[in-house]
Amino acid sequence: MNKPLIGVVPLVDEAKESWWMLPGYMTGIAQAGGIPLMLPLTSDREALDQLAYGLDGVLFTGGHDVSPSLYGEDVLPACAACSPERDAMEKILLDLVLERDMAAFGICRGIQFVNAALGGTLWQDLPSQRPSAVEHHMQPPYDRAAHRVGIAAGSPLHDLLGADELAVNSYHHQAVKDLAPHLEVMAVSEDGLVEAVRLPEAHFVWAVQWHPEFSWRTDEASRRLFAAFVRAAAETSDLV
């Protein structure tokens, strides 16, 4: 049986005029049985449409802040660098995911983007807008726990992990503020931030605020997340 092909949204370094990738995104997918493919940075709808026909799933990676223009707000001084190219590309990809009922998984920026693109809003900068004693922007190494999250009983994430709470790593300064209308919360941090969501009406659209790409080698829960995503992508492939 063919392994599912997963398109991975590229990271962007404007200063070096480069697109790049953290190995953990690729190896996390590969160890779960998928084939990761870093996509080109483009907002060409026709090109992405053609690419998507060959994909079984899309991984929305971390990286730049999501532009506040996506959720109708002015940019605050503490908002970090945004990438209009990524915002445009990911909006097209998310539309294609939903149109074709493909599997999608968002990590860090990924949960923020999915929420904003579907009608929610974000905290542009947690330290200045929503200070907390919980460590959301940890120092390396990133494969250790920074805080805990409570997992919603009866959620697919609870079924997957078989646990009421989970110790997670954390490296972000933006977060979900107002939840998008059709999203469902699957996990919440100790200080009340949304940490995992899903789109119930979709085949598999999940997103988490923490970083399984840094912790999959040492953490079973991270491996299960990648496995669930790749398994859903394989199911998408079977339907084509």
Side-chain angles (χ1 to χ4, degrees), residues 2-14:
N2 290 335
K3 294 182 177 182
L5 185 62
I6 310 294
V8 183
V9 175
L11 307 179
V12 183
D13 188 328
E14 289 91 352

Side-chain angles (χ1 to χ4, degrees), residues 107-139:
I107 293 176
C108 193
R109 171 193 156 91
I111 188 174
Q112 297 159 15
F113 176 82
V114 168
N115 184 66
L118 295 179
T121 66
L122 303 178
W123 296 106
Q124 293 188 38
D125 178 64
L126 290 173
S128 61
Q129 291 185 288
R130 195 184 184 278
S132 169
V134 174
E135 180 57 81
H136 289 289
H137 198 270
M138 67 189 295
Q139 299 300 310

